[in-house]
Amino acid sequence: MSRTRSVTSSVLGVDRRTVLAATAAVSVSAGVGYALRPTDSEAAPAAQVPAARPEPAAAGPRASAAPAAAPLAPFTKGTTLAAVAAPRPGSGYRRLGSQPGWGRVVRGDLAAPKSGRAGRRTTLAAFVQLTDLHLIDSQHPMRLEYLRAASEISWRPHEALTVQGAVSLVERVNALRAAPVTGAPLDFVVTTGDNTDNNARTELDWYLTVMSGGRITPNSGDPRHYEGVQNSGVPLYWQPGSASRDAYKQRGFPRLDGFLAAAIREVRSPGLTLPWYSTVGNHDAMPLGCYAHGDSWLAEYAVGGRKLMELTPAEAVRLQRSISQDRDPRGTVLRDLLKSTARAQRAVTPDERRAPYTPAEHVRAHLDPAYRGAGPVGHGYTRANLEAGTQYYSFPIAENVLGISLDTTDPGGHYNGSIGTAQLKWLDATLRAHRDQYAVVFSHHTSESMSNTRPDPAHPGERRHEGAELVALLGRHRNVVAWVNGHIHRNDITPHQGSAGSFWEVSTASHVEFPQLARVVELVDNKDGTLSVHTTLIESAAPHRTDFDDLSQTGLASLYRELSANARSDGARLSGEARDRNTELLLKRR
């Protein structure tokens, strides 16, 4: 099903006047945020793919809750139950190998497990969650790589390989034979935001093509050569094709001739063979994930021919603090910095495809038939979203299970989130209307990271609501069983006991940070007065071990994982505790 996609299509095409006009408009559902670091919530101090299933006419729910087929389950192959990538012992740059998988932890925080439930259970739904893919146009002029002068986790040495890594994750999902615990068919895939990194049209095209299938050239600017920090000669960054002793080679990073040329070669994605749904994150909604749309100068800079690649540590700290402490929601500090450093900036090839996209264009791109893939049309978004200027919706997961995708991004600026009164009322009404169905809620932000209540410029009189209010609302509905999200780039599972019911908040780590995980979620009825939510983490299909001489698409996907394992010293923390990884989460049946 390969096809060549061009970002100059009717949906993602752009000219200079369109860029400047679009950035002045702010939609009701626009969001904000910023990957200042791998984890937005951190304050700044300093294979073979199986044949595709027939494309469905629509992503309909499972016909009925069928008992799990005992001979088929459990399916551990390809999951972290079987094996996990891990750095080998040593210091400096560490090569990757395999370690035994993580076991499953049964959590009875909200209901006690009863014996014999495995033989009684029936499957209600099974799906895969992807989150924080951060497809990165690593040569984009607006990227803030120079904040690496303030903190080592402000730039990643593997950023040029996000497309290859994401395609390998798609290959893994396609290769899963069934849900790991029950052996039930997988119903769909959902992304929970930050699918792109810098609200750039290049990145949006790459993300939609990765998911729907086709050919991608992960390059912008000069079509023949890489033009970014990794061949700049600046020792702050890993210079893979140079013999220079940059900061990373001093830590043991290799010299890899041909790496950058390979990184911008055409990549082919098989596309997901399951229906997939999309949820918006702050990086999808706003430039750099934290700046409100509206500054025409920054929009012009994004498509222009100059790029800042180096700052002093003091300058980097000042800019980093202005972002992390929420002092600059409209990008004024950044704009002034870029203007004042014009002489220090380097020439790059201008590219109109790097323009920011508005929330309406985000929805319209999902509706483009060229990106339909395995369906459904719009991947959750509909024409009604376009007409209303929203990015939230509900959809049928199975016969007795409803999915609800929220927009928790804050259009007023900053990377943390909130929710407007209109959406909160819609959510309450939707849960009431479907009180006889179980509900799984999806969002980008977690309850703890919904702390930004700056007014929406398009609706200045509308109140914004924090995470605690959303937790309270969900707890008033007995049919809510899980809230699945991302944003914090860390595995974390939290029980919530509400006034009427209880539910689990399942936060999953990013696929741009090691250990680069996604999650399979299975909802089952134990036929004993309890439900179980099983969570199983998966890695991409790329081999754990990599060969520096292998710069094929698969080899680069393996290298993507190994480089990420060496990018920061606290990567193991992002995998969470055992109770946040492979689990069985018990609930009382409503």
Side-chain angles (χ1 to χ4, degrees):
M1 59 185 290
S2 293
R3 68 178 185 282
T4 301
R5 281 290 304 165
S6 169
V7 292
T8 56
S9 69
S10 59
V11 173
L12 296 180
V14 62
D15 58 40
R16 183 64 54 87
R17 290 187 300 275
T18 302
V19 173
L20 301 183
T23 55
V26 181
S27 165
V28 61
S29 57
V32 296
Y34 163 57
L36 178 64
R37 301 148 303 278
T39 305
D40 280 335
S41 59
E42 293 176 358
Q48 193 73 9
V49 179
R53 297 176 178 84
E55 182 176 304
R62 186 196 303 274
S64 62
L72 298 179
F75 283 127
T76 61
K77 184 178 180 181
T79 76
T80 58
L81 293 164
V84 180
R88 302 177 202 173
S91 58
Y93 185 93
R94 294 194 289 167
R95 305 306 303 274
L96 276 192
S98 299
Q99 71 175 21
W102 295 321
R104 192 175 302 281
V105 174
V106 178
R107 295 187 59 174
D109 311 49
L110 298 176
K114 299 180 181 181
S115 61
R117 62 191 181 281
R120 296 188 298 268
R121 65 192 175 201
T122 59
T123 303
L124 300 175
F127 61 88
V128 181
Q129 178 208 8
L130 313 182
T131 194
D132 295 84
L133 292 170
H134 286 278
L135 275 292
I136 297 174
D137 183 346
S138 63
Q139 301 170 77
H140 198 291
M142 280 280 285
R143 288 193 55 72
L144 305 180
E145 297 105 334
Y146 40 78
L147 292 182
R148 171 65 179 79
S151 171
E152 72 165 354
I153 59 174
S154 294
W155 176 76
R156 311 173 184 93
H158 52 288
E159 288 183 348
L161 301 180
T162 56
V163 170
Q164 291 87 346
V167 170
S168 186
L169 182 59
V170 166
E171 291 172 342
R172 166 60 68 215
V173 173
N174 288 348
L176 293 174
R177 293 180 58 199
V181 175
T182 64
L186 293 168
D187 294 307
F188 66 97
V189 177
V190 61
T191 71
T192 52
D194 284 2
N195 307 307
T196 65
D197 188 71
N198 192 23
N199 183 237
R201 294 168 186 261
T202 46
E203 297 169 347
L204 181 56
D205 175 74
W206 300 348
Y207 159 65
L208 292 170
T209 307
V210 164
M211 300 290 281
S212 58
R215 303 180 182 184
I216 307 153
T217 301
N219 184 32
S220 64
D222 189 329
R224 300 162 299 172
H225 304 291
Y226 170 92
E227 298 175 308
V229 299
Q230 288 194 269
N231 66 353
S232 65
V234 178
L236 192 64
Y237 315 106
W238 177 45
Q239 307 290 302
S242 168
S244 64
R245 294 283 292 170
D246 58 65
Y248 287 85
K249 292 205 189 72
Q250 291 177 34
R251 291 166 46 190
F253 273 65
R255 176 177 176 177
L256 296 180
D257 293 326
F259 172 85
L260 294 176
I264 63 174
R265 281 201 307 256
E266 182 182 89
V267 175
R268 298 190 179 195
S269 174
L272 287 165
T273 57
L274 290 170
W276 57 275
Y277 294 84
S278 195
T279 298
V280 65
N282 51 292
H283 282 261
D284 308 309
M286 287 290 152
L288 295 171
C290 68
Y291 293 134
H293 279 283
D295 192 310
S296 60
W297 191 91
L298 289 177
E300 183 82 14
Y301 188 87
V303 300
R306 307 295 296 178
K307 179 175 172 66
L308 182 63
M309 300 189 185
E310 193 170 11
L311 274 185
T312 67
E315 290 171 318
V317 166
R318 280 195 294 271
L319 178 59
Q320 193 177 45
R321 284 178 177 168
S322 77
I323 297 171
S324 64
Q325 296 176 10
D326 197 11
R327 298 175 183 173
D328 188 29
R330 301 194 67 82
T332 303
V333 173
L334 176 61
R335 181 190 63 205
D336 292 346
L337 172 69
L338 293 174
K339 286 183 175 181
S340 69
T341 58
R343 291 187 177 181
Q345 295 171 23
R346 304 194 182 198
V348 296
T349 303
D351 194 334
E352 301 283 356
R353 301 174 305 156
R354 292 168 170 159
Y357 56 86
T358 66
E361 290 165 337
H362 181 249
V363 172
R364 194 174 293 115
H366 281 78
L367 289 165
D368 187 336
Y371 296 121
R372 181 180 180 184
V377 173
H379 305 290
Y381 299 119
T382 65
R383 294 289 172 186
N385 287 116
L386 274 180
E387 294 169 2
T390 60
Q391 295 187 96
Y392 51 86
Y393 58 89
S394 65
F395 64 102
I397 288 178
E399 184 179 28
N400 198 36
V401 186
L402 180 74
I404 299 175
S405 176
L406 300 179
D407 174 8
T408 56
T409 63
D410 195 320
H414 196 52
Y415 50 76
N416 279 342
S418 60
I419 192 170
T421 297
Q423 186 178 178
L424 197 70
K425 289 181 176 179
W426 170 86
L427 173 61
D428 187 45
T430 300
L431 288 170
R432 290 180 187 278
H434 295 271
R435 61 173 58 89
D436 294 329
Q437 291 181 286
Y438 294 113
V440 180
V441 177
F442 302 97
S443 75
H444 178 62
H445 291 90
T446 65
S447 57
E448 292 295 323
S449 60
M450 288 180 63
S451 57
N452 173 25
T453 56
R454 178 177 285 106
D456 179 348
H459 302 277
E462 183 184 38
R463 185 184 164 208
R464 304 289 298 184
H465 302 265
E466 296 186 346
E469 294 178 84
L470 184 52
V471 168
L473 185 148
L474 296 178
R476 292 196 294 269
H477 293 274
R478 296 179 62 236
N479 54 333
V480 176
V481 294
W483 177 11
V484 180
N485 51 43
H487 185 66
I488 58 174
H489 291 211
R490 184 179 71 250
N491 290 317
D492 189 60
I493 298 179
T494 305
H496 291 289
Q497 180 64 61
S499 59
S502 58
F503 65 93
W504 289 93
E505 182 176 356
V506 179
S507 306
T508 301
S510 161
H511 202 258
V512 76
E513 312 299 343
F514 188 79
Q516 297 181 334
L517 302 170
R519 202 187 289 266
V520 181
V521 178
E522 301 169 70
L523 175 61
V524 304
D525 185 341
N526 294 319
K527 299 299 182 180
D528 58 8
T530 66
L531 303 177
S532 288
V533 180
H534 296 276
T535 74
T536 307
L537 293 165
I538 59 173
E539 301 173 312
S540 77
H544 290 173
R545 297 174 185 265
T546 183
D547 180 350
F548 288 151
D549 293 328
D550 182 5
L551 297 181
S552 66
Q553 181 174 319
T554 298
L556 291 175
S558 288
L559 192 55
Y560 178 63
R561 179 187 283 130
E562 182 169 290
L563 291 170
S564 75
N566 285 278
R568 56 187 294 175
S569 60
D570 62 346
R573 179 181 66 86
L574 301 180
S575 68
E577 302 294 330
R579 60 191 280 118
D580 304 310
R581 299 191 294 234
N582 300 328
T583 67
E584 181 184 1
L585 312 172
L586 275 294
L587 286 164
K588 292 180 181 178
R589 190 176 186 276
R590 62 171 173 80

